[in-house]
Amino acid sequence: MPDLASERVDHRFKGLPPDADGLSVGELAAQRRNLFTGGFTTPVLALSAESVEHNLRLLETYAERHGLAFAPHGKTSMAPQLFHRQLEYGAWGITAAVPHQVRVYRAHGIDRIFLANEVVDPVALRWLAAELDAHPNFHLVCYVDSVRGVELMDEALRAAGARRPLDVVVELGAGEAGRTGVRTEAECEAVADAVAATDRLRLVGVAGYEATMPEADAERVREWLNRLVGLAAAFDKAGRYAPDLPEIVVSAGGSEWFDTVADVFAEIPELSRPVLKLLRSGAYVSHDDGQYRERTPFNRIPEEGALHPAFRLWSQVVSRPTPEQAFTNAGKRDAAHDLHLPEAQVVRDARTGELRPAEGVTVTALSDQHTWLRTEPGADVEVGDWVGMGLSHPCTSFDKWQLIPLVEADGTVVDYVRTFF
């Protein structure tokens, strides 16, 4: 397993101190530099150490309270350090979206992986077969949603000489206009029967992803989840699961409806074998200042707690051409912008180092390497000031930064989070 702390700091990692070139990540972390005075250059993305810790603990507690296993979606961060923290906080395993991500996970010692996608690429299946055969402790589950897909998988696994069967779940599509997944129960049964006709695949359960449901609301999500649970029970009653199966997998859960998932999964009837109720929410680690802040289930159930946004992108005011305008040196290369623009939150005064709320400062646009700020009368922003911005949608925040400072509230950098996109 790679030793991330021994990797050398250099020009590949934007925002880090130029005078740290040649140090290992571990050596730089041990210096506990200050983000604002320790030689970091702007723009620089920071993760709040306290918020990450809080969020990890909160979802562990939530999953335990509701009797859920937890396989958070790792594609949100692609950060092995965070994966291992999630496992320390009780996660069953980590969810991936594509085989490349599985390779990253395996290289960093992740033994239980839920691959929430169909896999019909023979090269990827050959690698998976070899990995499963070589490592008895490696457990992987992936989606199937068509008879043709099952045939392609079986053909590729046979050609690869796979000795262990690949565990699969039938994906139930989240509505007629949803993303992938089988649309009807009858089609689900046909896919399950196709799996049973092979000896290289093993049916272990059912799954899906409610976040892709068009015009999702609690009632529609609940209706779909009830279909998913009903499908799991129907498969069990019909004897469609592999006879040697120790538990039945029922899985769902993005970061917007996991409260509804918990409610419906609590009502799963007793089946012939124990049920692994697997939640896959992944954005919670960093949370955000937009998409998930507005749609977190904790807004609906405040007695369960609250997630804390952990991202802050710091950039520097480089131009103040008019009283109504200012520009910083961060842009689309640095800030998530696929769902919402960044949110100006705080200003660090270049003269005094003091922090103040970014009152009267609004982000109006992003260029490749500039943030456009509208400044209202009285907004106290000067060239040289640092502006701290909250970001929306973690999935496109982590992928822009390969090495992210983990920062305590006083600005002390205690570690660096390595990403692999």
Side-chain angles (χ1 to χ4, degrees):
M1 188 165 62
D3 178 10
L4 296 177
S6 67
E7 188 165 12
R8 295 294 165 182
V9 175
D10 57 25
H11 61 277
R12 293 171 296 162
F13 306 120
K14 58 185 180 180
L16 299 192
D19 67 355
D21 280 9
L23 294 177
S24 70
V25 172
E27 290 168 341
L28 180 57
Q31 293 181 358
R32 296 178 64 87
R33 296 195 186 195
N34 186 277
L35 184 72
F36 306 110
T37 62
F40 294 84
T41 64
T42 57
V44 60
L45 180 66
L47 270 174
S48 163
E50 292 88 353
S51 294
V52 167
E53 183 77 14
H54 167 85
N55 294 343
L56 288 167
R57 190 178 303 279
L58 182 63
L59 259 291
E60 177 191 35
T61 301
Y62 182 86
E64 289 178 350
R65 182 182 301 126
H66 292 278
L68 300 169
F70 192 31
H73 218 312
K75 58 92 176 172
T76 301
S77 69
M78 288 303 293
Q81 291 150 282
L82 296 182
F83 300 165
H84 285 284
R85 294 296 305 283
Q86 290 168 316
L87 294 172
E88 290 169 7
Y89 279 86
W92 170 91
I94 306 295
T95 295
V98 291
H100 165 71
Q101 293 171 3
V102 177
R103 291 186 63 199
V104 174
Y105 297 7
R106 291 296 296 150
H108 291 89
I110 305 301
D111 287 330
R112 284 202 285 205
I113 299 171
F114 189 98
L115 176 49
N117 208 343
E118 287 72 24
V119 183
V120 295
D121 181 343
V123 176
L125 288 164
R126 182 167 63 244
W127 178 83
L128 283 172
E131 192 73 4
L132 285 164
D133 288 344
H135 302 281
N137 292 331
F138 174 34
H139 182 196
L140 181 130
V141 179
C142 75
Y143 281 176
V144 290
D145 78 346
S146 68
V147 172
R148 174 60 175 158
V150 168
E151 292 170 348
L152 289 172
M153 294 175 76
D154 184 51
E155 179 182 325
L157 292 169
R158 285 178 176 277
R163 298 190 300 275
R164 283 179 63 188
L166 177 59
D167 287 347
V168 297
V169 290
V170 174
E171 182 193 5
L172 178 67
E176 284 299 319
R179 197 168 60 186
T180 55
V182 187
R183 296 313 198 234
T184 70
E185 279 73 4
E187 291 172 309
C188 287
E189 292 172 2
V191 174
D193 290 343
V195 172
T198 77
D199 58 6
R200 295 301 194 276
L201 300 175
R202 184 174 74 154
L203 182 64
V204 301
V206 298
Y209 183 55
E210 73 288 344
T212 61
M213 180 183 295
E215 300 178 358
D217 58 29
E219 182 178 351
R220 296 185 68 188
V221 170
R222 180 178 293 274
E223 180 182 353
W224 174 79
L225 286 165
N226 283 327
R227 286 182 61 202
L228 186 71
V229 168
L231 184 65
F235 278 6
D236 189 42
K237 184 177 181 180
R240 285 194 163 91
Y241 297 120
D244 61 341
L245 188 65
E247 61 185 4
I248 296 168
V249 177
V250 182
S251 180
S255 295
E256 297 181 17
W257 297 104
F258 58 75
D259 55 334
T260 309
V261 173
D263 289 345
V264 175
F265 280 13
E267 301 167 359
I268 293 177
E270 185 175 347
L271 302 182
S272 65
R273 278 153 280 193
V275 177
L276 182 71
K277 304 172 184 179
L278 194 60
L279 182 69
R280 304 197 309 274
S281 312
Y284 78 100
V285 176
S286 62
H287 199 42
D288 77 349
D289 280 296
Q291 178 76 2
Y292 294 115
R293 179 185 63 190
E294 296 166 3
R295 302 187 185 187
T296 174
F298 291 121
N299 291 341
R300 299 187 289 271
I301 46 172
E303 65 274 14
E304 295 269 18
L307 293 167
H308 296 169
F311 278 125
R312 182 159 283 170
L313 176 63
W314 290 97
S315 61
Q316 194 167 27
V317 178
V318 294
S319 179
R320 191 79 158 93
T322 74
E324 296 80 27
Q325 277 186 309
F327 294 85
T328 77
N329 61 350
K332 293 179 181 179
R333 303 290 184 263
D334 313 297
H337 57 90
D338 58 321
L339 296 179
H340 302 281
L341 288 171
E343 179 182 277
Q345 296 177 332
V346 293
V347 176
R348 185 176 188 275
D349 192 288
R351 302 175 190 274
T352 67
E354 295 180 355
L355 294 176
R356 60 179 180 272
E359 295 179 355
V361 181
T362 304
V363 176
T364 60
L366 291 175
S367 298
D368 284 353
Q369 210 59 66
H370 289 94
T371 298
W372 296 57
L373 300 179
R374 182 179 69 244
T375 53
E376 298 176 5
D380 188 12
V381 177
E382 295 185 9
V383 170
D385 290 346
W386 285 29
V387 177
M389 296 181 288
L391 302 177
S392 176
H393 200 210
C395 295
T396 51
S397 295
F398 278 105
D399 67 358
K400 299 177 185 300
W401 296 83
Q402 291 184 301
L403 199 59
I404 305 170
L406 189 67
V407 184
E408 292 183 339
D410 66 357
T412 301
V413 179
V414 295
D415 204 353
Y416 297 83
V417 174
R418 182 72 159 96
T419 65
F420 292 86
F421 281 94

